[in-house]
Amino acid sequence: MQVSSVGDQTIYGGIASELQESDERDTPLKVKLTDLARLISRFGYIGGIAIAVAYLFQAVVIQNGFDVAAILAYCGNWMAVANDAVQAVMLAVIIIVMAVPEGLPLMIAIVSSLNMGKMLKDNVLVREINGIETAGSLNILFCDKTGTITKGQLEVVTFIDGSASSYASFNDVPEAIRDKFACNVSNNTEAMFAKEGSEAVAVGGNATERALLSYITSANYNSKPVALSIPFSSEIKYSAAQVEGDDPDTLIKGAPEIILPKCSGILLPSGEQSDIDQEKLRASIDALANKAIRVLAFAKCNKSIDDDFMNGEDDWTLVGLVGLRDDIRPESVSAISEAHSAGIQVVMITGDRKETAVAIAKEAGLVTGQDDEIVLTSSDLSKMSDDEIAGKIEQIRVVARALPSDKSRLVKIAQSKNLVAGMTGDGVNDSTALKRADVGFAMGSGTEVAKEAAEIVILDDNFSSIEKAVLYGRTIFNSIRKFIIFQLTINIAAVLVSFAFPLLGMANPLSITQILWVNLVMDTLAALALGGEPALRRYMQEKPKARDEKIVSSYMWSEILTGSIWTFLLSIFFLLSPTSHEIFRDAPNNEYLLTGYFCFFIFTAVFNAFNARTERLNLFDNIGKNKGFLEILLLIVVVQVVMAYVGGDIFRCYGLNIQEWLYVIGLAFTIIPLDLLRKVYALSKKYKKEMRAMRR
């Protein structure tokens, strides 16, 4: 044996170098959150500065009754000026801290970790946590056929000799053809028989070779010494083995379209040779392919394997054809249908010939007979430029006779169109495509190299498990959106209150410690409450979110602005209306009124959490599947009530009586019917839009 290349110069070395490249794209969620972070930071800084200015205006101008002399006297007291300036800066910093959603990373971590445990029970192992959410954003999925869409249990269903006669079982095949075929299967393979008790079981090799060995089990054929061999590769599409012994031959098996043109004759049942009828055999192959049966050709020749073997004259003898069937997984059909409903384009990639691939794709529901559906082969792809493929990629349904390099190319082209691309794979050659894809799905039965390159491992190699990964990814995204609705509603309301009241000549109704408690409720506790939202099947009816789509939708803005403005208006009413002053007991510094307002603000956030967690009118929709939601909200309420009585000067809380509590809770509860009215309006608007679309 002569070593021709080592290290990075080898095929595996090249793959390893590609896997180490760090040119990965940002995940769709990271793109969306980066945009949201810019928006929130601007809002926080502008709000913080505006509130600091409003606080100083109130301290310098309003408190001095707009009297110039009083203002100048105040400015001459540098201690008072410094104290108010420090207070203004502290308030601005607190508002900025409040505006920044520190709980969002925690929320993402919580919801992802909770769903990772659920996914593992569904045979989905998450290796990289960002892979879950990315799966929910998939636009296009390039999927292997064998073992993923099909069962991966290949079985020989027919044998056809050179004269196009078919045989149901191996023992029915004429002896002369049977012996030569068994010799080919036994020696031109990487699989072998192993004893399991009294039975011989095919092990090693690939699924095709094991199926072929299982087919000839009754032959009890002894392997011959192999002098030279050519391993199968996706480039030449066949393998060959030169055997020694009493009847030396070179045995070939592989793709019929490669082997048949090289055959000048056929092996007859008598052991003699005869002329070949290419058209008749091709008709038999096409008939099997239309039944989703994969066909392999077996041939022999008297040549030895040398440098000119693959380029020499074509005088091979056809031994026969074998039809192998790999049945569709029943659950794959419904899972593919679900993926289509979710707006995900599924492209089946297979090494089968085009006709066989189309037949399987029809059974699986990938090809439905529409005029715009495109089926390509690897040779078709090689003749097309990237721009040509990009123009048709959304119509591609099947890629037959695919090479590993085709996968990486298709992913790259899909990403150039700003699509979120997923890829499945199991072999070492698939690892670069898995790494390049936005989310790679490695098969549990695949190589460790493929698993290392992928974000998610499908333990049962089943397409339905991929569909579940998409569902969980969408659940995470929807949970994040619910959290953002909840948080931004309170954020905007708190900033409006802190900005407006100093301009009205009043101190901020929320103290710094109270604002910090509000921030804790919004961030940590809300993340825990909304992080356990269940995976709902209706999420699969939504269309994929564009990679650059804003994470805060127009619907979300309507809910956020409605809730925050309502909270702000109620705050003005609560603190300034005569009704409130009649309800709450008199105190030197409005102690009971401000205690009530603090409780009102927290309770409004609690009630609004019910609005945020569902877009439906039924606020208790699937609430039993997130028991932590009710438990955490109950904890917030209990802590708030206790704080109202024991908070004292630290939290500026001095206790409330029954009448005051009823007033607080009643006003806070109004955010629920208000949002229900908003939802009714949004649903009616959506219904009218759908009706107009149907009429068109």
Side-chain angles (χ1 to χ4, degrees), residues 261-264 303 309-316:
K262 293 179 177 290
C263 293
S264 58
K303 289 182 178 180
F309 177 77
M310 289 185 283
N311 302 318
E313 295 296 327
D314 303 329
D315 56 355
W316 297 356

Side-chain angles (χ1 to χ4, degrees), residues 369-415:
Q370 297 181 11
D371 294 337
D372 61 345
E373 294 175 335
I374 298 176
V375 177
L376 298 172
T377 63
S378 181
S379 59
D380 295 331
L381 289 174
S382 65
K383 297 172 186 175
M384 299 169 67
S385 68
D386 286 357
D387 289 339
E388 288 176 320
I389 297 173
K392 299 179 179 179
I393 196 165
E394 294 180 4
Q395 286 75 48
I396 296 175
R397 298 293 179 267
V398 178
V399 178
R401 289 300 189 207
L403 301 174
S405 57
D406 295 330
K407 292 185 174 183
S408 291
R409 187 184 180 200
L410 287 168
V411 168
K412 183 180 178 181
I413 293 170
Q415 290 175 338

